[in-house]
Amino acid sequence: MLIDALVTRLTISEIAARHLDQWRDQTERGELQLWELPPAVQAWYFAGWAEAMQQAREQARIYEHQLNVLYMQAFSPNDRREEYQRRLDHHFAEQAERFFTEPLIEGPALRRAA
């Protein structure tokens, strides 16, 4: 195929591929713990985990937005306006509470101004 000709793929030896497959199988079966793997293999595992978590967070954000849109569409225009106002009131109440309860940070600039 034309795509295969344009894309070069990195390769590893057959022995390395066999070791990686064996380690993956043993890890999945619980016969081998992640900490027992070589550090380079652990790094690949955790990089994949981090990528998967980022994708899951993004998908959850999209679903949450779609859910909010559908939830708000269930309201009549007047009820929707009241719900928007309720959410805004709640948001600003949280912001005010956080602002007035956080301790002041004293730094060199604040001391000079006093």
Side-chain angles (χ1 to χ4, degrees):
M1 250 186 147
L2 181 60
I3 301 282
D4 290 335
L6 296 176
V7 176
T8 58
R9 182 176 282 193
L10 297 174
T11 60
I12 59 174
S13 70
E14 195 170 313
I15 293 172
R18 196 173 25 228
H19 275 92
L20 291 172
D21 287 339
Q22 182 182 13
W23 289 339
R24 185 198 67 237
D25 290 342
Q26 288 175 329
T27 303
E28 288 175 352
R29 289 193 303 265
E31 299 168 0
L32 186 66
Q33 300 299 314
L34 287 175
W35 63 267
E36 296 175 296
L37 295 171
V41 176
Q42 290 177 19
W44 277 101
Y45 176 87
F46 289 116
W49 178 266
E51 176 68 23
M53 290 302 295
Q54 179 60 33
Q55 290 177 5
R57 278 192 291 274
E58 179 62 22
Q59 192 62 49
R61 189 192 64 74
I62 290 169
Y63 287 152
E64 186 174 6
H65 174 72
Q66 291 173 345
L67 179 65
N68 278 333
V69 168
L70 293 172
Y71 178 76
M72 292 306 289
Q73 287 176 349
F75 287 100
S76 69
N78 285 337
D79 291 340
R80 192 175 305 151
R81 194 174 311 114
E82 289 174 12
E83 178 64 13
Y84 284 141
Q85 190 61 53
R86 185 191 66 74
R87 289 182 182 193
L88 284 171
D89 292 344
H90 178 72
H91 169 77
F92 287 118
E94 283 182 346
Q95 293 297 317
E97 181 179 341
R98 190 175 307 137
F99 178 79
F100 290 113
T101 58
E102 288 183 357
L104 290 177
I105 299 173
E106 289 190 28
L110 292 176
R111 286 189 208 122
R112 274 188 253 126

